[in-house]
Structures are given as structure tokens and as C-alpha cells.
Amino acid sequence: MTDSAELPALPVTFRPTRTRVVLMTAGVVVFVALTVVALMLQMGGGERASFIVTGALFLAVLALLSRPQVTADPQGVTVVNLTTKRRLEWAQIIAVRLRPGDPWVSLDLADGTSLPAMGIQPGIAKRQALAHARALRALVDQGGPQEGSAAGAAGRTDG
């Protein structure tokens, strides 16, 4: 059984912060570089626009890749992946799994399916991902927050 002192305060958001910073920084740098190149070179308006649009598309794809997060609150968990968002009640989640070599956490659900939770991924911040997976697992093992527990207070973990 999990000690309530190990539980994070709710609501809590888990996300791969370092990965997000790297992706968004790279996206902005590429967008600015392509825009500067397009404005400095002697070319037609359509060619300039294609450079700028290419930079904007690159930034948009990296913004999409930085979207994943897992938010736990007293009512349940919201999993935001690349293009999907799913709300789960605590009772729907049976287990939280992050095995060695897994790219992200997997949630085993009561209906027999599994849901990837890409907001907790070992990538460049393995320790952070392990801590986040343990915290979410502790909440799930307890069946969600309990009245009067430390999990009932407000808090946020972006690491």
C-alpha cells in the first residue's frame, strides 16, 4: 500500500518539460532562420512565401509533438496525446506501467484496453519520468484522492 505522504497534491500535470523546451526552441529557431533567409534573398513573392510557410509548418509539427501531458485531478485523469484527448475516471484505470525500454507510460484500463500516456516519457529526463510514473501509480493504487489527504490540495508538477 502507498503512504499518502508520497502522493502529489492535486491537480497535478505531468509533461516532458525538457523535451518540450528542446522541440519548441528548435521550431522557433528554424522558423526565424527560414523567414530571415526568405527576406534576405532576391526571389519572387511565391518563393519567399514558400520558405516562410515551410518554417511555420515545421514549427507547427514540433508544437504538436510537444503537446502530450497527463493531468490528474480529484475526479480523474486527462490524457492528452499528439492528436487525442481522453478523460478517465479513477476507477477506469487499473494499472500504470513504464517498463524499461518503453517510450512512454501505458495505462491499463478496466475495459481491457491499454492507453498510451505520452505525457510521461523517459526521453531526455528519465528520472523525472520515473518519478511522475510512480506518483501517478500511487494515485491509481489508492483509487484516486481521498478526503482530507495531501492529494486534495492544489499543486503542479511540470519538472
Side-chain angles (χ1 to χ4, degrees):
M1 193 69 170
T2 306
D3 182 4
S4 63
E6 298 175 21
L7 295 176
L10 296 181
V12 61
T13 299
F14 304 111
R15 60 177 60 148
T17 306
R18 289 183 192 160
T19 301
R20 288 172 53 112
V21 168
V22 168
L23 290 172
M24 293 310 295
T25 301
V28 169
V29 166
V30 169
F31 175 72
V32 169
L34 286 176
T35 300
V36 168
V37 167
L39 296 175
M40 291 179 67
L41 291 178
Q42 299 295 327
M43 50 184 157
E47 291 170 322
R48 277 191 179 146
S50 69
F51 266 77
I52 295 170
V53 167
T54 299
L57 286 173
F58 188 78
L59 177 57
V61 167
L62 292 183
L64 182 69
L65 290 173
S66 69
R67 183 174 184 249
Q69 66 182 26
V70 177
T71 303
D73 60 42
Q75 291 75 40
V77 176
T78 303
V79 177
V80 178
N81 287 328
L82 297 179
T83 59
T84 61
K85 180 178 181 179
R86 184 162 176 197
R87 179 75 182 161
L88 301 165
E89 293 180 16
W90 288 108
Q92 292 178 273
I93 306 169
I94 296 185
V96 176
R97 302 200 189 285
L98 181 59
R99 295 177 293 250
D102 283 353
W104 43 72
V105 162
S106 178
L107 304 177
D108 292 341
L109 306 179
D111 65 2
T113 63
S114 184
L115 176 68
M118 298 172 75
I120 303 175
Q121 49 184 269
I124 19 183
K126 189 172 186 174
R127 281 189 201 157
Q128 176 186 357
L130 291 172
H132 288 178
R134 281 187 203 107
L136 184 58
R137 182 178 300 134
L139 285 167
V140 168
D141 288 348
Q142 181 179 307
Q146 304 298 315
E147 288 297 320
S149 73
R156 185 171 178 94
T157 301
D158 284 330

PDB file of all heavy atoms in Angstrom, residues 99-124:
ATOM      1  N   ARG A  99       7.799   0.204 -18.323  1.00  0.00           N
ATOM      2  CA  ARG A  99       8.839  -0.819 -18.281  1.00  0.00           C
ATOM      3  C   ARG A  99      10.098  -0.294 -18.966  1.00  0.00           C
ATOM      4  O   ARG A  99      10.024   0.612 -19.791  1.00  0.00           O
ATOM      5  CB  ARG A  99       8.339  -2.079 -18.982  1.00  0.00           C
ATOM      6  CG  ARG A  99       7.154  -2.735 -18.271  1.00  0.00           C
ATOM      7  CD  ARG A  99       6.661  -3.933 -19.053  1.00  0.00           C
ATOM      8  NE  ARG A  99       6.081  -3.504 -20.298  1.00  0.00           N
ATOM      9  CZ  ARG A  99       4.767  -3.552 -20.591  1.00  0.00           C
ATOM     10  NH1 ARG A  99       3.921  -4.042 -19.727  1.00  0.00           N
ATOM     11  NH2 ARG A  99       4.323  -3.138 -21.753  1.00  0.00           N
ATOM     12  N   PRO A 100      11.261  -0.866 -18.634  1.00  0.00           N
ATOM     13  CA  PRO A 100      12.494  -0.450 -19.302  1.00  0.00           C
ATOM     14  C   PRO A 100      12.342  -0.577 -20.819  1.00  0.00           C
ATOM     15  O   PRO A 100      11.865  -1.588 -21.317  1.00  0.00           O
ATOM     16  CB  PRO A 100      13.550  -1.430 -18.764  1.00  0.00           C
ATOM     17  CG  PRO A 100      13.000  -1.875 -17.444  1.00  0.00           C
ATOM     18  CD  PRO A 100      11.505  -1.900 -17.614  1.00  0.00           C
ATOM     19  N   GLY A 101      12.712   0.470 -21.523  1.00  0.00           N
ATOM     20  CA  GLY A 101      12.623   0.477 -22.980  1.00  0.00           C
ATOM     21  C   GLY A 101      11.321   1.026 -23.522  1.00  0.00           C
ATOM     22  O   GLY A 101      11.218   1.309 -24.715  1.00  0.00           O
ATOM     23  N   ASP A 102      10.307   1.190 -22.683  1.00  0.00           N
ATOM     24  CA  ASP A 102       9.044   1.772 -23.142  1.00  0.00           C
ATOM     25  C   ASP A 102       9.251   3.244 -23.480  1.00  0.00           C
ATOM     26  O   ASP A 102       9.927   3.964 -22.743  1.00  0.00           O
ATOM     27  CB  ASP A 102       7.956   1.663 -22.064  1.00  0.00           C
ATOM     28  CG  ASP A 102       7.355   0.277 -21.957  1.00  0.00           C
ATOM     29  OD1 ASP A 102       7.676  -0.586 -22.800  1.00  0.00           O
ATOM     30  OD2 ASP A 102       6.549   0.058 -21.023  1.00  0.00           O
ATOM     31  N   PRO A 103       8.637   3.726 -24.564  1.00  0.00           N
ATOM     32  CA  PRO A 103       8.789   5.138 -24.921  1.00  0.00           C
ATOM     33  C   PRO A 103       7.955   6.074 -24.048  1.00  0.00           C
ATOM     34  O   PRO A 103       8.236   7.257 -23.969  1.00  0.00           O
ATOM     35  CB  PRO A 103       8.321   5.189 -26.374  1.00  0.00           C
ATOM     36  CG  PRO A 103       7.406   4.022 -26.521  1.00  0.00           C
ATOM     37  CD  PRO A 103       7.896   2.970 -25.571  1.00  0.00           C
ATOM     38  N   TRP A 104       6.911   5.536 -23.401  1.00  0.00           N
ATOM     39  CA  TRP A 104       6.056   6.334 -22.525  1.00  0.00           C
ATOM     40  C   TRP A 104       5.236   5.416 -21.636  1.00  0.00           C
ATOM     41  O   TRP A 104       5.241   4.211 -21.813  1.00  0.00           O
ATOM     42  CB  TRP A 104       5.112   7.253 -23.310  1.00  0.00           C
ATOM     43  CG  TRP A 104       4.477   6.587 -24.480  1.00  0.00           C
ATOM     44  CD1 TRP A 104       3.488   5.633 -24.476  1.00  0.00           C
ATOM     45  CD2 TRP A 104       4.789   6.784 -25.844  1.00  0.00           C
ATOM     46  NE1 TRP A 104       3.189   5.231 -25.741  1.00  0.00           N
ATOM     47  CE2 TRP A 104       3.970   5.941 -26.610  1.00  0.00           C
ATOM     48  CE3 TRP A 104       5.703   7.618 -26.510  1.00  0.00           C
ATOM     49  CZ2 TRP A 104       4.029   5.898 -27.996  1.00  0.00           C
ATOM     50  CZ3 TRP A 104       5.746   7.562 -27.895  1.00  0.00           C
ATOM     51  CH2 TRP A 104       4.917   6.703 -28.619  1.00  0.00           C
ATOM     52  N   VAL A 105       4.529   6.012 -20.700  1.00  0.00           N
ATOM     53  CA  VAL A 105       3.688   5.256 -19.772  1.00  0.00           C
ATOM     54  C   VAL A 105       2.490   4.677 -20.519  1.00  0.00           C
ATOM     55  O   VAL A 105       1.982   5.261 -21.469  1.00  0.00           O
ATOM     56  CB  VAL A 105       3.208   6.182 -18.631  1.00  0.00           C
ATOM     57  CG1 VAL A 105       2.013   5.615 -17.903  1.00  0.00           C
ATOM     58  CG2 VAL A 105       4.341   6.445 -17.659  1.00  0.00           C
ATOM     59  N   SER A 106       2.048   3.528 -20.059  1.00  0.00           N
ATOM     60  CA  SER A 106       0.852   2.885 -20.586  1.00  0.00           C
ATOM     61  C   SER A 106      -0.125   2.696 -19.430  1.00  0.00           C
ATOM     62  O   SER A 106       0.271   2.262 -18.350  1.00  0.00           O
ATOM     63  CB  SER A 106       1.226   1.535 -21.200  1.00  0.00           C
ATOM     64  OG  SER A 106       0.078   0.883 -21.668  1.00  0.00           O
ATOM     65  N   LEU A 107      -1.385   3.047 -19.663  1.00  0.00           N
ATOM     66  CA  LEU A 107      -2.417   2.864 -18.651  1.00  0.00           C
ATOM     67  C   LEU A 107      -3.267   1.665 -19.026  1.00  0.00           C
ATOM     68  O   LEU A 107      -3.811   1.614 -20.134  1.00  0.00           O
ATOM     69  CB  LEU A 107      -3.311   4.109 -18.561  1.00  0.00           C
ATOM     70  CG  LEU A 107      -2.618   5.439 -18.279  1.00  0.00           C
ATOM     71  CD1 LEU A 107      -3.628   6.579 -18.295  1.00  0.00           C
ATOM     72  CD2 LEU A 107      -1.875   5.387 -16.964  1.00  0.00           C
ATOM     73  N   ASP A 108      -3.357   0.675 -18.139  1.00  0.00           N
ATOM     74  CA  ASP A 108      -4.244  -0.469 -18.338  1.00  0.00           C
ATOM     75  C   ASP A 108      -5.618  -0.066 -17.825  1.00  0.00           C
ATOM     76  O   ASP A 108      -5.751   0.385 -16.682  1.00  0.00           O
ATOM     77  CB  ASP A 108      -3.737  -1.700 -17.597  1.00  0.00           C
ATOM     78  CG  ASP A 108      -2.441  -2.234 -18.185  1.00  0.00           C
ATOM     79  OD1 ASP A 108      -2.125  -1.900 -19.344  1.00  0.00           O
ATOM     80  OD2 ASP A 108      -1.745  -2.986 -17.487  1.00  0.00           O
ATOM     81  N   LEU A 109      -6.629  -0.235 -18.673  1.00  0.00           N
ATOM     82  CA  LEU A 109      -7.967   0.230 -18.337  1.00  0.00           C
ATOM     83  C   LEU A 109      -8.909  -0.916 -17.998  1.00  0.00           C
ATOM     84  O   LEU A 109      -8.695  -2.052 -18.407  1.00  0.00           O
ATOM     85  CB  LEU A 109      -8.539   1.057 -19.498  1.00  0.00           C
ATOM     86  CG  LEU A 109      -7.664   2.221 -19.963  1.00  0.00           C
ATOM     87  CD1 LEU A 109      -8.319   2.958 -21.121  1.00  0.00           C
ATOM     88  CD2 LEU A 109      -7.360   3.176 -18.812  1.00  0.00           C
ATOM     89  N   ALA A 110      -9.969  -0.599 -17.271  1.00  0.00           N
ATOM     90  CA  ALA A 110     -10.940  -1.595 -16.803  1.00  0.00           C
ATOM     91  C   ALA A 110     -11.640  -2.304 -17.951  1.00  0.00           C
ATOM     92  O   ALA A 110     -12.081  -3.437 -17.804  1.00  0.00           O
ATOM     93  CB  ALA A 110     -11.970  -0.935 -15.892  1.00  0.00           C
ATOM     94  N   ASP A 111     -11.724  -1.673 -19.124  1.00  0.00           N
ATOM     95  CA  ASP A 111     -12.408  -2.310 -20.256  1.00  0.00           C
ATOM     96  C   ASP A 111     -11.501  -3.281 -21.013  1.00  0.00           C
ATOM     97  O   ASP A 111     -11.866  -3.801 -22.054  1.00  0.00           O
ATOM     98  CB  ASP A 111     -12.980  -1.260 -21.211  1.00  0.00           C
ATOM     99  CG  ASP A 111     -11.914  -0.416 -21.898  1.00  0.00           C
ATOM    100  OD1 ASP A 111     -10.704  -0.653 -21.688  1.00  0.00           O
ATOM    101  OD2 ASP A 111     -12.294   0.502 -22.659  1.00  0.00           O
ATOM    102  N   GLY A 112     -10.293  -3.534 -20.487  1.00  0.00           N
ATOM    103  CA  GLY A 112      -9.377  -4.495 -21.105  1.00  0.00           C
ATOM    104  C   GLY A 112      -8.430  -3.879 -22.122  1.00  0.00           C
ATOM    105  O   GLY A 112      -7.589  -4.574 -22.674  1.00  0.00           O
ATOM    106  N   THR A 113      -8.549  -2.594 -22.369  1.00  0.00           N
ATOM    107  CA  THR A 113      -7.666  -1.930 -23.323  1.00  0.00           C
ATOM    108  C   THR A 113      -6.518  -1.250 -22.594  1.00  0.00           C
ATOM    109  O   THR A 113      -6.478  -1.197 -21.367  1.00  0.00           O
ATOM    110  CB  THR A 113      -8.434  -0.886 -24.165  1.00  0.00           C
ATOM    111  OG1 THR A 113      -8.931   0.132 -23.300  1.00  0.00           O
ATOM    112  CG2 THR A 113      -9.571  -1.538 -24.938  1.00  0.00           C
ATOM    113  N   SER A 114      -5.614  -0.723 -23.373  1.00  0.00           N
ATOM    114  CA  SER A 114      -4.466  -0.006 -22.844  1.00  0.00           C
ATOM    115  C   SER A 114      -4.420   1.356 -23.538  1.00  0.00           C
ATOM    116  O   SER A 114      -4.721   1.464 -24.718  1.00  0.00           O
ATOM    117  CB  SER A 114      -3.203  -0.808 -23.148  1.00  0.00           C
ATOM    118  OG  SER A 114      -2.084  -0.199 -22.581  1.00  0.00           O
ATOM    119  N   LEU A 115      -4.051   2.397 -22.800  1.00  0.00           N
ATOM    120  CA  LEU A 115      -3.982   3.751 -23.351  1.00  0.00           C
ATOM    121  C   LEU A 115      -2.576   4.296 -23.153  1.00  0.00           C
ATOM    122  O   LEU A 115      -2.088   4.358 -22.018  1.00  0.00           O
ATOM    123  CB  LEU A 115      -5.000   4.655 -22.640  1.00  0.00           C
ATOM    124  CG  LEU A 115      -4.997   6.130 -23.034  1.00  0.00           C
ATOM    125  CD1 LEU A 115      -5.480   6.304 -24.479  1.00  0.00           C
ATOM    126  CD2 LEU A 115      -5.873   6.931 -22.088  1.00  0.00           C
ATOM    127  N   PRO A 116      -1.912   4.694 -24.240  1.00  0.00           N
ATOM    128  CA  PRO A 116      -0.609   5.322 -24.066  1.00  0.00           C
ATOM    129  C   PRO A 116      -0.789   6.699 -23.430  1.00  0.00           C
ATOM    130  O   PRO A 116      -1.696   7.440 -23.799  1.00  0.00           O
ATOM    131  CB  PRO A 116      -0.058   5.439 -25.489  1.00  0.00           C
ATOM    132  CG  PRO A 116      -1.240   5.361 -26.385  1.00  0.00           C
ATOM    133  CD  PRO A 116      -2.297   4.598 -25.650  1.00  0.00           C
ATOM    134  N   ALA A 117       0.068   7.019 -22.478  1.00  0.00           N
ATOM    135  CA  ALA A 117       0.065   8.338 -21.841  1.00  0.00           C
ATOM    136  C   ALA A 117       1.404   8.982 -22.174  1.00  0.00           C
ATOM    137  O   ALA A 117       2.369   8.899 -21.414  1.00  0.00           O
ATOM    138  CB  ALA A 117      -0.149   8.207 -20.341  1.00  0.00           C
ATOM    139  N   MET A 118       1.464   9.606 -23.342  1.00  0.00           N
ATOM    140  CA  MET A 118       2.717  10.136 -23.862  1.00  0.00           C
ATOM    141  C   MET A 118       3.266  11.315 -23.054  1.00  0.00           C
ATOM    142  O   MET A 118       4.399  11.726 -23.255  1.00  0.00           O
ATOM    143  CB  MET A 118       2.528  10.538 -25.323  1.00  0.00           C
ATOM    144  CG  MET A 118       2.167   9.364 -26.219  1.00  0.00           C
ATOM    145  SD  MET A 118       1.734   9.862 -27.885  1.00  0.00           S
ATOM    146  CE  MET A 118       3.361  10.242 -28.519  1.00  0.00           C
ATOM    147  N   GLY A 119       2.485  11.844 -22.138  1.00  0.00           N
ATOM    148  CA  GLY A 119       2.936  12.955 -21.303  1.00  0.00           C
ATOM    149  C   GLY A 119       3.976  12.553 -20.276  1.00  0.00           C
ATOM    150  O   GLY A 119       4.615  13.404 -19.676  1.00  0.00           O
ATOM    151  N   ILE A 120       4.138  11.252 -20.062  1.00  0.00           N
ATOM    152  CA  ILE A 120       5.185  10.758 -19.164  1.00  0.00           C
ATOM    153  C   ILE A 120       6.070   9.842 -19.996  1.00  0.00           C
ATOM    154  O   ILE A 120       5.722   8.711 -20.281  1.00  0.00           O
ATOM    155  CB  ILE A 120       4.591   9.996 -17.955  1.00  0.00           C
ATOM    156  CG1 ILE A 120       3.605  10.872 -17.183  1.00  0.00           C
ATOM    157  CG2 ILE A 120       5.723   9.503 -17.047  1.00  0.00           C
ATOM    158  CD1 ILE A 120       2.882  10.155 -16.063  1.00  0.00           C
ATOM    159  N   GLN A 121       7.210  10.396 -20.437  1.00  0.00           N
ATOM    160  CA  GLN A 121       8.117   9.646 -21.298  1.00  0.00           C
ATOM    161  C   GLN A 121       9.554   9.839 -20.849  1.00  0.00           C
ATOM    162  O   GLN A 121       9.966  10.955 -20.548  1.00  0.00           O
ATOM    163  CB  GLN A 121       7.946  10.062 -22.756  1.00  0.00           C
ATOM    164  CG  GLN A 121       7.959  11.555 -22.980  1.00  0.00           C
ATOM    165  CD  GLN A 121       7.699  11.939 -24.406  1.00  0.00           C
ATOM    166  OE1 GLN A 121       8.646  12.076 -25.161  1.00  0.00           O
ATOM    167  NE2 GLN A 121       6.452  12.122 -24.765  1.00  0.00           N
ATOM    168  N   PRO A 122      10.316   8.738 -20.801  1.00  0.00           N
ATOM    169  CA  PRO A 122      11.680   8.808 -20.283  1.00  0.00           C
ATOM    170  C   PRO A 122      12.653   9.614 -21.142  1.00  0.00           C
ATOM    171  O   PRO A 122      13.584  10.178 -20.608  1.00  0.00           O
ATOM    172  CB  PRO A 122      12.134   7.356 -20.216  1.00  0.00           C
ATOM    173  CG  PRO A 122      10.951   6.528 -20.470  1.00  0.00           C
ATOM    174  CD  PRO A 122       9.879   7.389 -21.012  1.00  0.00           C
ATOM    175  N   GLY A 123      12.477   9.699 -22.430  1.00  0.00           N
ATOM    176  CA  GLY A 123      13.310  10.505 -23.319  1.00  0.00           C
ATOM    177  C   GLY A 123      14.566  11.086 -22.705  1.00  0.00           C
ATOM    178  O   GLY A 123      15.467  10.383 -22.290  1.00  0.00           O
ATOM    179  N   ILE A 124      14.620  12.438 -22.606  1.00  0.00           N
ATOM    180  CA  ILE A 124      15.800  13.108 -22.078  1.00  0.00           C
ATOM    181  C   ILE A 124      15.758  13.300 -20.567  1.00  0.00           C
ATOM    182  O   ILE A 124      16.731  13.724 -19.995  1.00  0.00           O
ATOM    183  CB  ILE A 124      16.043  14.498 -22.722  1.00  0.00           C
ATOM    184  CG1 ILE A 124      14.855  15.083 -23.391  1.00  0.00           C
ATOM    185  CG2 ILE A 124      17.217  14.548 -23.576  1.00  0.00           C
ATOM    186  CD1 ILE A 124      15.109  16.403 -24.084  1.00  0.00           C
TER     187      ILE A 124
END
